[in-house]
Amino acid sequence: AQSVTQLDSQVPVFEEAPVELRCNYSSSVSVYLFWYVQYPNQGLQLLLKYLSGSTLVKGINGFEAEFNKSQTSFHLRKPSVHISDTAEYFCAVREVSGNTPLVFGKGTRLSVIA
Amino acid sequence: DAEITQSPRHKITETGRQVTLACHQTWNHNNMFWYRQDLGHGLRLIHYSYGVQDTNKGEVSDGYSVSRSNTEDLPLTLESAASSQTSVYFCASSPGTGPTPYEQYFGPGTRLTVT
């Protein structure tokens, strides 16, 4: 069975500074990886996904993530954050084969400080 | 536009009562999911369905049930509400087939308080 660890529960960062939100996964088989964002009082929306191909994946709102198979990581990055990026971010994993649901991490709360 | 809706958006109920939360999607997606979100626990899967008449237990299914009688709806029932079930509940759906079969779309959530 797969699992996801988001190493930081909260990340404060100043506006226009870069940010990295860390995600590590555990699985014995090949996986698909996802990042979702949840703005206050809203549902989750897909930020980006890795299915295959290039290990650097670009998503919405200037975010990108890099799949590193040897380190079983899928860290999310943004070179310059805005106040509007304040939200909760969830990493999720799913096995390539089989028919299992997504497994989510516990989330990282990003707070952008003016 | 296709969408996924949840109702009610807020619910207060008493311990021991039966409660049903509705989830309706208009994407014609095969797969539907129910999660609960609690501080410190992230999203935990309650039940899911891969098609009409199919239901499966998730990580935290005790005290909850679902039924799938059509493609569009997956209602979540709390048989006898407990204070530990106070939470925010999210419904999600995914196509199950096609170019993005696993991409999940989430509803806006239902905040349930059990007193």
Side-chain angles (χ1 to χ4, degrees), chain B residues 14-74:
Chain B
E14 295 178 344
T15 302
R17 288 192 181 268
Q18 185 181 80
V19 177
T20 297
L21 309 183
C23 175
H24 179 79
Q25 53 99 2
T26 58
W27 279 300
N28 201 36
H29 285 172
N30 290 328
N31 304 342
M32 295 184 73
F33 309 87
W34 273 104
Y35 296 89
R36 60 177 288 174
Q37 183 177 27
D38 305 286
L39 202 61
H41 292 279
L43 284 165
R44 293 183 289 176
L45 184 64
I46 304 172
H47 282 287
Y48 59 102
S49 168
Y50 287 149
V52 176
Q53 301 302 333
D54 176 74
T55 61
N56 304 278
K57 293 182 178 181
E59 178 188 356
V60 290
S61 60
D62 286 350
Y64 303 94
S65 64
V66 293
S67 63
R68 187 94 179 269
S69 58
N70 59 53
T71 301
E72 297 80 18
D73 300 289
L74 186 69

Side-chain angles (χ1 to χ4, degrees), chain A:
Chain A
Q2 64 269 39
S3 65
V4 177
T5 302
Q6 292 185 240
L7 296 158
D8 305 296
S9 59
Q10 297 186 61
V11 173
V13 62
F14 286 104
E15 194 174 17
E16 298 184 6
V19 69
E20 178 180 82
L21 306 184
R22 297 180 293 168
C23 172
N24 285 89
Y25 68 92
S26 173
S27 177
S28 58
V29 298
S30 297
V31 296
Y32 298 131
L33 293 154
F34 305 81
W35 274 100
Y36 281 81
V37 59
Q38 182 183 31
Y39 298 106
N41 299 312
Q42 294 186 26
L44 280 71
Q45 55 183 280
L46 183 67
L47 201 53
L48 50 78
K49 62 188 179 228
Y50 171 79
L51 302 181
S52 64
S54 172
T55 57
L56 182 63
V57 179
K58 294 190 183 297
I60 61 173
N61 300 338
F63 283 93
E64 64 181 31
E66 186 156 19
F67 171 52
N68 188 318
K69 188 175 182 179
S70 63
Q71 297 187 11
T72 60
S73 68
F74 190 54
H75 300 333
L76 181 70
R77 302 185 183 101
K78 185 169 183 178
S80 176
V81 295
H82 303 290
I83 295 289
S84 59
D85 293 322
T86 294
E88 186 115 22
Y89 293 79
F90 292 92
C91 183
V93 65
R94 186 196 184 279
E95 293 179 355
V96 170
S97 59
N99 201 14
T100 56
L102 294 183
V103 174
F104 285 85
K106 292 186 177 182
T108 297
R109 181 170 297 278
L110 174 64
S111 299
V112 181
I113 306 160

